[in-house]
Amino acid sequence: MRAERQRMDKKKSLGNVETRYATFAESPHELLLEGGQKLGPITLAYETYGRLDADKSNAVLICHALSGDAHAAGFHPGDEDPGWWDAMIGPGKAFDTDKYFVICSNVIGGCKGSTGPSSINPAAGKPYGLDFPVITIGDMVNAQRYLIDHLGIGRLLCVCGGSMGGMQVLQWVASYPERVRCAIPIATALKHSPQQIAFDEVGRQAVMADPEWREGDYYGHGQPERGLAVARMIGHITYMSDKSMEEKFSRRLKEKDYSFQFKTDFEVEGYLRYRGDNFVKRFDANSYLYITKAMDYFDVAGDSLIPAERRAETRFLVIAFRSDWLYPLYQSQEIVRQLKRRHADATYCEINSTYGHDAFLLEIEEETHLIKHFLDKTYKGYNVR
Amino acid sequence: MRAERQRMDKKKSLGNVETRYATFAESPHELLLEGGQKLGPITLAYETYGRLDADKSNAVLICHALSGDAHAAGFHPGDEDPGWWDAMIGPGKAFDTDKYFVICSNVIGGCKGSTGPSSINPAAGKPYGLDFPVITIGDMVNAQRYLIDHLGIGRLLCVCGGSMGGMQVLQWVASYPERVRCAIPIATALKHSPQQIAFDEVGRQAVMADPEWREGDYYGHGQPERGLAVARMIGHITYMSDKSMEEKFSRRLKEKDYSFQFKTDFEVEGYLRYRGDNFVKRFDANSYLYITKAMDYFDVAGDSLIPAERRAETRFLVIAFRSDWLYPLYQSQEIVRQLKRRHADATYCEINSTYGHDAFLLEIEEETHLIKHFLDKTYKGYNVR
């Protein structure tokens, strides 16, 4: 079933794609961060799929989650797997590249080509480490705005993303409402609850407990792999649901003998270790710290999202998943409540899924159905105007 | 409010109590473990409160959870705080020591006086470390049985416990049904789900990722404190609920400035770090590994609890808490379903609480109401017979 879907995806795939880089080195493009510090020059890694209309009205910005990157769709030459949301982006897909110009950029603070703690600090000639300033979701969005300016786009047809991507969607509306025609925040929140902060904090503590972390100054020595793997394992539990774990692993044993001495015996343990070990090969530990902090600081509740005096012009499609206990339904419902209070045009959709928070990456059919229609309608309305 | 309750508890307190130790050194008391290995001599730390009847019909065994110990009630001379379930055990309390003889013992594998991985291995003249054999909930109960024999008690009026204590309750019924008049499993399960295993496994990984763990051979060098603290922090998140965290911390800041560099800024972070740091002073890291594994291995689903051919003689009171997402309601309901299938006399009570899994330690009033009555009724029925 999944193999078949994969083949289908390949057929409709964008084929080979390429990551590009834009550097904003000039002084106006030195980013003034919400924390008051300046960061620059900054580089953003990004990819684009499809073609920008003559009137530049068909641009869709996709925002990635905690561990994502600019490579949202298509294949990098030689790679087995396509980009992280390939099933949603391509010819005929939810974000139909025959119609739309799709952009995805790696967030600042990240480690996939955009400026982050593992980048060279020009003032010091070595990686920033903890000299990298605190960044916020607002800073990430401000950096993306440079890119959108750079691409010559005034107003985005749509900004869409799940989890931390959804926070960026909300932040775009809060910071640049006139530049967002429609917004699709998925499986996200106006702000983290203490439980969400707590899970992030334990992940950070796991990283910082690893002596290989060296107070963030580990570049050239190798990553704090064990701590980061533990952090990722905690994350994975929260991305799944009790039910999806039951369906995937139940209590099946990998190996069991009574002389085990804490080797892997349940399948779920093997899975978590595998995911943890894999993660450390592709993600920078300091980026993990900075990005999770940005999520914890994020808070557009109250008047921050849409000020009281302003009527929202942006159309909204808010999507949540019933088994998502990391970003529970009530958080998406609260987004909708605040939008309705501002008389925004907001549609709320709950998708039945057992996948938990991961559902935003997996419930392709349902999401396609909702998004394709919503986007087409917004696009047509836009062109009629 | 809580201070007042504390004062009230002091008034009705047992006063000073003492931990005692029983060692089973003789060959029949060498424990044959479920894993096939032999362990001995074994020592059990235990406390008793109240007086054993002449006909020995009023004995209640209290089983502790993961990080508990034999000191369930009363005060150790010089201590500020009483035992871990003092609000439930004492004159006039749920387990009324004016009527009942209450016993609590530290599990084997533990580190509070009973034989565990930090005990001296007589064969090696140094602490067991990872030479300690794998132990199961069944082994813990078999060791407790020696103690009950040693105290000259044939049949226990009641076995009660929450969380891992509840597993021991179920195991007592599975192993020695004729010796348990009534059983009160609280906030527990017939077996761990993959999600529960996953949380335990991440905790173990956090401990084992700490180089101070030294493959379990850290005695004399100091504990793997940082890893164990992370494990405990993960645990604490799962013991609370989204709602109780919201009520206790919301998003209140301890300190916030944009030069924070991963210090504590949200209150919930400070709380978790405090609980983690405190735990490592009082708990052995290897015990954490062995005991969580025992919980993960536990499985009395199906015929294990009560074989098909046997009608259950034990009366049951099964208690669960609505906000407990670590041991969700469906797990307690499954216990009741299996009991009913064997025509057992089983009462199921769901308590409304926002405390999450911690509720079994905090919802004293509700638990007292349910247990006091159930116990008295069983006791009277017993004496009438």
Side-chain angles (χ1 to χ4, degrees):
Chain A
M1 179 67 193
R2 205 169 265 198
E4 194 185 334
R5 188 179 290 175
Q6 191 81 2
R7 272 198 303 279
M8 273 178 57
D9 290 348
K10 279 225 182 187
K11 247 204 304 205
K12 298 188 291 176
S13 165
L14 286 157
N16 283 348
V17 299
E18 189 184 3
T19 305
R20 278 178 288 175
Y21 302 87
T23 297
F24 310 101
E26 304 308 313
S27 139
H29 285 131
E30 202 172 47
L31 197 62
L32 177 61
L33 301 171
E34 290 193 338
Q37 288 185 268
K38 281 180 184 173
L39 182 65
I42 56 164
T43 297
L44 285 194
Y46 70 100
E47 297 194 359
T48 67
Y49 321 110
R51 279 182 178 208
L52 189 61
D53 271 359
D55 64 355
K56 300 178 176 175
S57 66
N58 69 334
V60 173
L61 177 65
I62 302 293
C63 302
H64 69 72
L66 169 54
S67 64
D69 54 31
H71 182 40
F75 288 82
H76 283 175
D79 277 3
E80 277 277 296
D81 297 317
W84 58 268
W85 226 15
D86 184 77
M88 291 290 285
I89 303 165
K93 298 184 186 176
F95 298 99
D96 187 346
T97 49
D98 291 337
K99 287 184 190 171
Y100 306 118
F101 178 66
V102 178
I103 309 152
C104 183
S105 71
N106 184 217
V107 296
I108 56 161
C111 52
K112 304 298 183 69
S114 292
T115 304
S118 59
S119 306
I120 299 296
N121 177 357
K126 66 183 186 90
Y128 283 100
L130 292 201
D131 289 332
F132 196 74
V134 171
I135 45 133
T136 64
I137 302 290
D139 297 328
M140 293 175 185
V141 163
N142 285 338
Q144 281 169 343
R145 204 215 60 206
Y146 284 164
L147 176 66
I148 300 306
D149 289 348
H150 169 79
L151 295 172
I153 297 161
R155 200 176 188 193
L156 290 160
L157 171 63
C158 178
V159 185
C160 175
S163 198
M164 187 182 82
M167 293 180 175
Q168 293 164 67
V169 173
L170 297 172
Q171 185 68 55
W172 262 97
V173 172
S175 300
Y176 307 107
E178 70 288 351
R179 298 189 69 169
V180 185
R181 179 78 189 147
C182 77
I184 311 177
I186 306 175
T188 193
L190 295 164
K191 60 182 179 191
H192 265 183
S193 69
Q195 190 184 66
Q196 288 165 318
I197 295 171
F199 277 119
D200 278 348
E201 170 65 5
V202 176
R204 286 189 293 265
Q205 287 293 319
V207 169
M208 296 189 294
D210 188 334
E212 297 298 319
W213 181 59
R214 299 165 190 258
E215 304 297 312
D217 193 17
Y218 53 80
Y219 302 105
H221 298 276
Q223 285 242 79
E225 293 193 354
R226 302 201 68 175
L228 184 59
V230 169
R232 185 58 169 179
M233 288 168 70
I234 298 166
H236 266 292
I237 300 176
T238 65
Y239 305 153
M240 298 183 76
S241 73
D242 190 15
K243 192 151 186 199
S244 68
M245 281 195 157
E246 183 60 41
E247 286 167 355
K248 195 173 172 115
F249 312 111
S250 186
R251 284 174 57 84
R252 277 193 308 279
L253 296 167
K254 228 172 124 87
E255 44 181 295
K256 180 176 177 178
D257 66 274
Y258 278 95
S259 60
F260 71 106
Q261 301 298 40
F262 307 106
K263 288 198 217 76
T264 304
D265 37 12
F266 291 103
E267 274 189 21
V268 63
E269 297 173 326
Y271 172 80
L272 288 176
R273 292 190 198 182
Y274 171 79
R275 297 301 292 251
D277 291 346
N278 243 2
F279 186 65
V280 304
K281 292 177 200 149
R282 66 177 181 88
F283 209 84
D284 176 60
N286 283 336
S287 278
Y288 196 88
L289 302 181
Y290 278 90
I291 295 178
T292 55
K293 256 303 180 194
M295 293 167 77
D296 290 344
Y297 276 147
F298 181 68
D299 184 353
V300 293
D303 261 9
S304 312
L305 183 58
I306 303 171
E309 67 280 2
R310 190 159 53 75
R311 199 179 181 284
E313 292 296 330
T314 306
R315 297 183 68 210
F316 288 85
L317 171 62
V318 179
I319 299 176
F321 301 92
R322 295 223 165 93
S323 58
D324 185 350
W325 60 276
L326 183 60
Y327 288 80
L329 294 179
Y330 76 80
Q331 292 188 323
S332 285
Q333 289 159 0
E334 185 57 32
I335 296 171
V336 176
R337 199 170 297 124
Q338 299 222 2
L339 291 173
K340 292 290 185 191
R341 216 173 273 150
R342 298 287 180 267
H343 310 287
D345 176 354
T347 304
Y348 173 58
C349 289
E350 270 178 30
I351 295 180
N352 251 338
S353 171
T354 59
Y355 285 124
H357 188 56
D358 269 346
F360 83 92
L361 294 168
L362 299 168
E363 292 291 354
I364 300 304
E365 207 172 318
E366 287 280 356
E367 287 181 312
T368 299
H369 180 72
L370 294 169
I371 290 173
K372 206 177 173 66
H373 178 74
F374 176 77
L375 204 56
D376 287 354
K377 213 177 136 191
T378 309
Y379 184 52
K380 278 174 198 151
Y382 184 86
N383 283 353
V384 164
R385 270 198 173 189
Chain B
M1 179 66 191
R2 205 169 267 194
E4 196 187 331
R5 187 179 291 174
Q6 192 81 1
R7 272 197 304 279
M8 273 178 56
D9 291 347
K10 279 224 182 187
K11 248 203 306 205
K12 297 188 293 178
S13 168
L14 285 157
N16 284 347
V17 299
E18 189 185 3
T19 305
R20 279 178 287 177
Y21 302 86
T23 296
F24 309 102
E26 303 308 313
S27 138
H29 284 131
E30 201 172 50
L31 197 61
L32 177 61
L33 302 171
E34 290 193 340
Q37 289 185 266
K38 282 180 184 173
L39 181 66
I42 55 164
T43 296
L44 286 193
Y46 71 101
E47 298 194 358
T48 67
Y49 322 110
R51 278 183 180 207
L52 189 60
D53 272 359
D55 64 355
K56 299 179 175 175
S57 65
N58 69 336
V60 172
L61 177 65
I62 302 292
C63 302
H64 69 73
L66 169 54
S67 63
D69 54 31
H71 182 39
F75 288 81
H76 283 175
D79 278 3
E80 277 277 296
D81 297 317
W84 59 269
W85 226 15
D86 185 76
M88 292 290 286
I89 303 164
K93 298 183 186 177
F95 298 98
D96 187 346
T97 50
D98 290 337
K99 287 185 191 170
Y100 306 118
F101 178 65
V102 178
I103 309 151
C104 183
S105 72
N106 184 216
V107 296
I108 55 159
C111 52
K112 304 298 183 69
S114 291
T115 303
S118 59
S119 305
I120 299 296
N121 177 356
K126 65 183 187 90
Y128 283 100
L130 292 202
D131 289 332
F132 197 75
V134 171
I135 45 134
T136 64
I137 302 291
D139 296 329
M140 293 176 186
V141 163
N142 285 338
Q144 282 169 343
R145 204 214 61 205
Y146 284 163
L147 176 66
I148 300 306
D149 289 348
H150 168 80
L151 295 171
I153 297 161
R155 200 175 186 194
L156 290 159
L157 171 63
C158 179
V159 186
C160 175
S163 198
M164 186 182 81
M167 292 180 176
Q168 293 163 67
V169 173
L170 297 172
Q171 185 69 55
W172 262 97
V173 173
S175 299
Y176 307 106
E178 70 289 352
R179 298 189 70 169
V180 185
R181 179 79 189 145
C182 77
I184 311 178
I186 306 175
T188 193
L190 295 164
K191 60 182 178 190
H192 264 182
S193 69
Q195 191 183 65
Q196 289 164 319
I197 295 171
F199 276 119
D200 278 349
E201 169 66 4
V202 177
R204 286 188 293 265
Q205 286 292 320
V207 169
M208 296 190 292
D210 189 335
E212 296 299 318
W213 180 59
R214 299 165 190 259
E215 305 297 313
D217 193 17
Y218 53 80
Y219 301 105
H221 298 276
Q223 284 243 78
E225 294 193 354
R226 303 201 67 175
L228 183 60
V230 169
R232 185 58 169 179
M233 289 169 68
I234 299 167
H236 266 292
I237 301 176
T238 65
Y239 304 153
M240 299 183 74
S241 74
D242 189 16
K243 192 149 186 202
S244 67
M245 282 197 157
E246 183 60 42
E247 286 166 356
K248 195 172 173 117
F249 312 111
S250 185
R251 284 174 58 84
R252 277 193 309 278
L253 296 168
K254 229 171 124 89
E255 45 180 292
K256 181 178 177 177
D257 66 272
Y258 278 96
S259 60
F260 71 105
Q261 301 300 39
F262 309 107
K263 289 199 216 75
T264 304
D265 36 12
F266 291 103
E267 274 189 21
V268 63
E269 297 172 327
Y271 172 81
L272 288 176
R273 292 188 198 182
Y274 170 79
R275 298 301 292 250
D277 291 347
N278 243 3
F279 186 65
V280 304
K281 292 175 199 150
R282 66 176 180 89
F283 209 85
D284 176 60
N286 283 337
S287 278
Y288 196 87
L289 302 181
Y290 278 89
I291 295 177
T292 55
K293 257 302 179 194
M295 293 168 77
D296 291 343
Y297 277 147
F298 180 68
D299 184 353
V300 293
D303 260 9
S304 312
L305 183 57
I306 303 170
E309 67 280 4
R310 189 159 52 76
R311 200 180 179 282
E313 291 297 329
T314 306
R315 296 183 68 211
F316 288 86
L317 172 62
V318 179
I319 299 176
F321 301 93
R322 296 223 165 93
S323 58
D324 184 350
W325 61 276
L326 183 60
Y327 289 80
L329 295 179
Y330 75 81
Q331 292 188 323
S332 284
Q333 288 159 1
E334 185 57 33
I335 297 171
V336 176
R337 197 169 299 123
Q338 299 221 3
L339 291 173
K340 291 290 185 191
R341 216 173 274 151
R342 298 287 179 268
H343 310 286
D345 176 355
T347 303
Y348 173 58
C349 289
E350 268 178 30
I351 296 180
N352 250 339
S353 170
T354 59
Y355 285 124
H357 187 57
D358 268 347
F360 84 92
L361 294 167
L362 299 168
E363 293 290 354
I364 299 303
E365 207 171 318
E366 287 280 357
E367 287 181 312
T368 298
H369 181 74
L370 294 169
I371 290 172
K372 206 178 173 65
H373 178 74
F374 176 76
L375 204 57
D376 286 355
K377 214 177 135 190
T378 309
Y379 184 52
K380 277 176 200 150
Y382 186 85
N383 282 353
V384 164
R385 269 195 176 191

